[in-house]
Amino acid sequence: MTIGVMILCCTSQTFGQVPSGYDLWLGYGKIENVELLRQYEQAATSIYFQNNSEILEAAQKELKRGLGSMLDRAVDFTDSFSTANSMVIAKKAGLDKAIMKSVAADLDRIGKEGFVIKSVQLKDKDILVISANEDIGILYGVFRLLRFMQGHKTLSSISLVDAPKIAIRMLNHWDNLDRTVEHGYAGFSLWNWQKLPEYIDRRYIDYARANASIGINAVSLTNVNANALILTPMYLEKVRALAEAFRPYGIKVYLTARFSAPIEIGGLRSADPLNAEVQQWWNDKAEEIYAQIPDFGGFLVKANSEGQPGPQNYGRNHVDGANMMARALQPFDGKVIWRAFVYSEHDADDRAKQAYSEFVPYDGQFMENVLVQTKNGAIDFQPREPFHPMFGAMPNTPLMMEFQITQEYLGFSTHLVFLPKLFEEVLDADTYLKGKGSTVAKVIDGSLHDKKMTGMAGVANIGTDLNWTGHPFAQANWYGFGRLAWDPYLSSETIADEWIRATFSNDPKFVGPVRKMLLTSREAVVNYMNPLGLHHIFDTGHHYGPGPWVSELSRPEWNPTYYHKADEYGIGFDRTPTGSNATEQYAEPLRSMLNDPKTCPEEYLLWFHHLPWDYTLRNGHTLWDGIALKYQEGVDQVQDMRTTWKNMEPYISKAQHEEVWMLLEIQLKEARWWRDACLLYFQTYSKKELPEGVEKPTRTLEYFKSLKFLFAPGIRPRWD
Amino acid sequence: MTIGVMILCCTSQTFGQVPSGYDLWLGYGKIENVELLRQYEQAATSIYFQNNSEILEAAQKELKRGLGSMLDRAVDFTDSFSTANSMVIAKKAGLDKAIMKSVAADLDRIGKEGFVIKSVQLKDKDILVISANEDIGILYGVFRLLRFMQGHKTLSSISLVDAPKIAIRMLNHWDNLDRTVEHGYAGFSLWNWQKLPEYIDRRYIDYARANASIGINAVSLTNVNANALILTPMYLEKVRALAEAFRPYGIKVYLTARFSAPIEIGGLRSADPLNAEVQQWWNDKAEEIYAQIPDFGGFLVKANSEGQPGPQNYGRNHVDGANMMARALQPFDGKVIWRAFVYSEHDADDRAKQAYSEFVPYDGQFMENVLVQTKNGAIDFQPREPFHPMFGAMPNTPLMMEFQITQEYLGFSTHLVFLPKLFEEVLDADTYLKGKGSTVAKVIDGSLHDKKMTGMAGVANIGTDLNWTGHPFAQANWYGFGRLAWDPYLSSETIADEWIRATFSNDPKFVGPVRKMLLTSREAVVNYMNPLGLHHIFDTGHHYGPGPWVSELSRPEWNPTYYHKADEYGIGFDRTPTGSNATEQYAEPLRSMLNDPKTCPEEYLLWFHHLPWDYTLRNGHTLWDGIALKYQEGVDQVQDMRTTWKNMEPYISKAQHEEVWMLLEIQLKEARWWRDACLLYFQTYSKKELPEGVEKPTRTLEYFKSLKFLFAPGIRPRWD
């Protein structure tokens, strides 16, 4: 028997030995604790699983795999209910009456996607029940139970009733048809268009499993800087194959729609949204797509933004463009997700104000199946930004959150940065739009303005790297995004804890220090890149490393000097009424708090204020010293992360440990690069010495300015 | 104890479950046969391993891994010799005297890289001995023993004495600095320049292991369409890290040198090889490289070929260019590998003749550390080409073979084609230059003209795909290339047998049919793409699919119509004295045989002859019917491959079976596409019906001509 089991798991003919990481948080490590194992074994003695759909088939396979791996034995199921069952997994309609009594009230409040996991007493026996109203709830319930067990939690009197708080929980892949990924740092696009539709890469399934395990139910496959070819029959056939691979995991496929597609692939001479031919073309295209993919999600659109075509090319506005597409998709229940990331080279106003200025007046004019997708901040996914003032300001429009999981401005995939901490900060931010407590989370989940259609998107950090995300710890950002899209009120600490246990170890000597490392990592990157509200001082194009000196790009608002405005007097962007008055887009009392440097949170100080170098910070330091000390603090924090990680060696494999260690080495090198390059540059204006405690740069400013990275990853493709 | 072992191999925290294929032919499947297991166990009872270098460390680790996996237990070593040893692994210098007696003669004839594996009787006891003169021989010996065991062969009276017949056994990666791979179909470049030098991807080590296991000892990291940046300090530091990762596996690193580098990165105004400043620049560059990488292999150069700069830009010739670099590398024992793949847009002569015409007159003029690397045929890696007439024609110059492992003209990574069959055909070809038996293999291994410096290069088919090569069976082409570079006289059948057993199964019900499938697969692709000597009728640029109609490219010799010359009279390229007289480059009696269509092997018929559509083939069919039937035969052969594979289901895992099945589906679709598109096109000239037995096309010629593949993989990068 033992030998049999060993062959099952060791035969290299079936599964290869690869470096850790491919399994993500679904490794399902064997349970070694005897008491826990006994308890889990008991629950798995006789499992009734009602399986009559492809989603339920996926759920059953996952349970077989997960339980089998944790219990280290083959797991079987029975296909009829009996009192001998120790576990019962069935939808509401298939539940035994006695069990039904215990879960009926729960089922009434969890909607289509929720689930109940409950230990139910039946004839003096504990039965573990997973139930739901729909198949997808069962799948989510199975994944939740497995994670619960991965966290080594006790099953006795378990009672988990949960349902997602946001309807569309979505990944945005910025993947190009040539498989490059814009701002992708984990290799290349998962989508092997050349081999589709016939060849279904095993990775597509494992990707879908990972998404379903955290509740992601929508993916946009292609870059928002879109190529119209994706809408041609040759590609739609391939998209269909992906949609079919994802469907058993409850995931709907969306595509980015290039606004000029009617011209580029339709042979029309215009893409004017008020042109009847153009409208007909989109109507026909929608019909063509839905004939192949009946549950197609809809279009994600970047229009009149950074050179992408849009309705303004024809003197029309965003409402005209979005509603034209929305009308085409409406018969099929498809959605238009229209991005609000716009700023114009012809508008001299502060870039931070432009999206608000342009979109808020349209509130209430979009069709019902349009969502407006808004980045978390008004600039562009900086290490820290104040929340976007559009949140809460369009009560009659469903506003969808766009977070960036890929680390465009956060060290690519070589820096360990736990982003749920950033996401949480945004979601917890108070807009005050309906009084205190009007948090961004309440805008996004629809509760503030009573919305049903809600959504949260994350720009994916996933690629062809063996470990999916380049950095093993970047998996936590995919994981954490999914968890927050499911429940935007979860704490980053809970998420870190769950992820560490599922991915690495339950040993408290590991979980504690690593959780602490995760939770401080985001502040570290803010400190060594953009402290005290500095922002967008990255090198050009690829955004790899510091470039505060860059000032000669054609569009003023693409230059770092536009954002930090360092001069001999001081540094920072005055966004108060004496400056761009961007603060007027925020509600009171927040607006007044931001306007006064004495009440403005210091982490946003230079975002909103231009202050002299000898301005006194709350800790008594001058601004110059404070900036320098923050940069040093960031470097020190990375040093601390290394110390923490060094001590973790006993708890994980050598390969796992070494991999992260090598990456931390890069992170430390680059943190010092940021500190030295930025301080040397700002020093040319401040003309002040570095304060005590800040390490002296070993290179010159000229050296840092001379660095060129022609082949930094993630650059926009040349066909665009 | 058993539980301990199980944790070792099952803990998902260390190794993830991924689809098969990552392990290549190094899966080391558990030995299930009881008698064999007993025998192997006995040999592994007490292993003396003399380990005192990084190469020996690599060898010992591999033995521990391989034996451990096959025996399914942890394997230990002793560090001192005793009569209790069942296995002894030591270099000549470390051998016990009694053992030495049995292997001394063998050691004398195996040189630096060879090995002896021998069962030696010592005091009535059989001891398995692996010995060699140098560390690298031990590494090769360990890999050979492991493969021997993977083939389930008996150890009793084992006696393997082997040494490589070719000195430089090399992979050429056509990898660009942006990680695209020219004509790469297995994802993207393994080399993650962004994370080097700090981050050593586990794949680098597994890549080196795989290479060492088949004797590959040299790799050129970068595309022959070169970018000079690779020679800058920033990149050399990264190259150094790779060289250090590969060194324990006996692999030397080469780089492609862009001829104009002195201008592009050196700030000079010329790259003239007779200019003293230019010479000094290369001398300095060589010194700079060797300071970092003491065992750097040298430069691989594509010059004055397809737009690459070269000595002719300055009125100099290939000898001037190669010798300039050779002088720079000579003090460090570095080599220049100068490619002979040249053809000029200004030369109206048959492209097939140009490399010979240009290079043969230089015979004897190159410095001693220059090798001239020549593609196997005179055109460009076609499914079938006559051997390149340069082989044997330059007796005073080391000629290095360039094979293409990546399937540029052989169906990318979706067609199952076993290339050792192609390589064998070339190596076995008789040049007749020193009488009958003057095979290409004897040119390449140096025996025909008594050369010590010898080499064989293969353009790699390796990328970031989980299974390395895109198609699981394309691994066999990497494997087979390495084996033939070690011993160009190996049969493709032996190679197929070895690879199947190491990769999949030793079950004769699997090995037999799959070996047969491999051995016929190359003829199948010739039949459905380029039968009877047709060549270079691929679609433009990407070479994906048929494009016999392409006729409007700027350079005449880039057009398929240049090669097939189909007209109302007939089809084929007259290369006899009535045509381009390319046959004069071959020795007698081959030349005369090729000149006469009645004696020309029919597989080369249309390569050398333009013949009427009603020309009678040896089987009695007209040429038109013969072409059509060959296309159909190719399609039928793919059908047969599917039937074979269908029957293999019981012998491998479901995932393995399904993966190949999906790929065969694409291959069949594309074989039909080739047949239909080519026959419809040629029919416009032949004006004849398809013969009986050939399936009617279901699409029109216009449809096939309309197909466009803007994002086919492997296209040349845009920065080039």
Side-chain angles (χ1 to χ4, degrees), chain B residues 471-491:
Chain B
H471 198 305
F473 276 80
Q475 296 180 356
N477 297 333
W478 177 8
Y479 179 87
F481 165 78
R483 296 289 288 132
L484 285 167
W486 176 280
D487 181 354
Y489 302 96
L490 275 178
S491 79

Side-chain angles (χ1 to χ4, degrees), chain B residues 218-288:
Chain B
V219 299
S220 171
L221 299 173
T222 46
N223 193 351
V224 289
N225 293 319
N227 189 306
L229 282 183
I230 193 67
L231 301 176
T232 58
M234 184 175 104
Y235 277 97
L236 287 177
E237 190 186 18
K238 299 168 190 284
V239 172
R240 175 191 183 149
L242 288 175
E244 286 169 358
F246 298 160
R247 194 170 292 132
Y249 294 91
I251 295 165
K252 281 188 184 181
V253 161
Y254 290 66
L255 292 175
T256 50
R258 184 155 164 101
F259 202 79
S260 50
I263 302 170
E264 291 159 3
I265 61 168
L268 302 189
R269 285 200 282 183
S270 168
D272 182 349
L274 301 195
N275 174 314
E277 270 190 314
V278 172
Q279 294 170 352
Q280 189 58 47
W281 189 87
W282 284 108
N283 293 346
D284 294 347
K285 186 51 73 178
E287 201 173 313
E288 180 190 348

